[in-house]
Amino acid sequence: MTAAPAYRRLSVEERRSQLLEAALGLFAHRAPEEVSLDDVAEAAGVSRPLVYRYFPGGKQQLYEAALHSAADELEQCFDEPLEGPLLARLARALDRYLGFVDEHDAGFSALLRGGSVAETSRASAIVDGVRRAAAVHILRHFGVAEPGPRLRMTVRMWITAVEAASLIWLDEEKQPPVAELRDWLVEQFVAMLGVTAARDPQTAGVLAALAAGDG
């Protein structure tokens, strides 16, 4: 007779992570106002009082905590060492970013789609914080002491394009293959810098340095 597996009590952090993962899965496919704590409890296989024990502020606290959890991990994707050719650094950062999208597609959708319809300024700030942090990381690699508005805008426009492409990629059943998508996005970044370089000497200098290092 096979013995039943021993029950292991989850630690506080493990239980909290379990609830956040369940919440992210629900928020990925339904508007926040359509998700109840009962739904989260059912998805996590726990009781409603247990959800309240970890999130006494109710659904809004749980929603914002779930967004923070996804945002923190997503921000780290762009934390690349200042070593090697610039395009290779960007490709490595995109590998991590798209790896997150691939592995946590529900959480990514909740962060981008759910965050955009949340009715609190805090939730919107969480989503915007990911974009700003990504831009800071990328601009740091250019070695420009004070990036001008055109260069900053180009980087932020590209980050928005990456977000949109990632969501479309999920809708398209993760096609084209992720490596092709990564290379495509890198090429788009270079093309966007080229357009801005025609109007902005600072961006032209960045593009020249990039070509020298990666050509």
Side-chain angles (χ1 to χ4, degrees):
M1 183 176 178
T2 304
Y7 174 77
R8 185 175 72 87
R9 190 180 187 89
L10 296 181
S11 68
V12 171
E13 196 55 41
E14 287 173 331
R15 179 67 74 187
R16 190 173 188 275
S17 296
Q18 178 198 29
L19 295 175
L20 289 176
E21 183 177 352
L24 278 172
L26 293 171
F27 290 135
H29 304 290
R30 292 154 61 183
E33 59 270 17
E34 295 176 358
V35 177
S36 69
L37 287 182
D38 286 331
D39 293 330
V40 176
E42 182 179 356
V46 301
S47 66
R48 178 188 174 95
L50 183 63
V51 179
Y52 261 117
R53 184 189 307 172
Y54 283 84
F55 300 96
K59 185 175 71 175
Q60 188 61 42
Q61 182 187 9
L62 176 59
Y63 174 71
E64 292 177 6
L67 287 185
H68 267 302
S69 176
D72 289 345
E73 188 170 347
L74 204 51
E75 284 183 17
Q76 294 174 15
C77 293
F78 287 94
D79 190 7
E80 175 70 21
L82 300 174
E83 301 172 356
L86 285 171
L87 289 186
R89 300 180 206 173
L90 184 62
R92 288 193 295 269
L94 277 175
D95 276 337
R96 290 191 293 272
Y97 184 93
L98 294 173
F100 177 93
V101 175
D102 188 18
E103 184 178 356
H104 304 91
D105 49 0
F108 181 80
S109 296
L111 180 64
L112 272 296
R113 287 180 171 142
S116 64
V117 299
E119 295 182 358
T120 72
S121 58
R122 291 191 302 274
S124 296
I126 293 169
V127 176
D128 191 53
V130 175
R131 300 174 182 131
R132 292 182 179 276
V136 168
H137 281 304
I138 293 172
L139 288 167
R140 184 168 55 97
H141 288 269
F142 291 157
V144 178
E146 296 183 6
R150 291 175 181 81
L151 180 56
R152 292 198 308 269
M153 184 177 292
T154 300
V155 171
R156 293 179 66 180
M157 287 169 60
W158 179 75
I159 290 168
T160 301
V162 170
E163 290 179 359
S166 299
L167 290 172
I168 295 169
W169 184 67
L170 293 176
D171 285 341
E172 293 289 337
E173 299 181 350
K174 300 181 179 179
Q175 290 298 321
V178 67
E180 182 181 335
L181 177 61
R182 175 204 62 212
D183 292 343
W184 189 10
L185 290 171
V186 171
E187 291 164 4
Q188 288 182 350
F189 186 51
V190 175
M192 291 177 69
L193 287 173
V195 172
T196 304
R199 297 173 175 267
D200 180 45
Q202 185 181 61
T203 303
V206 167
L207 190 61
L210 187 151
D214 293 274

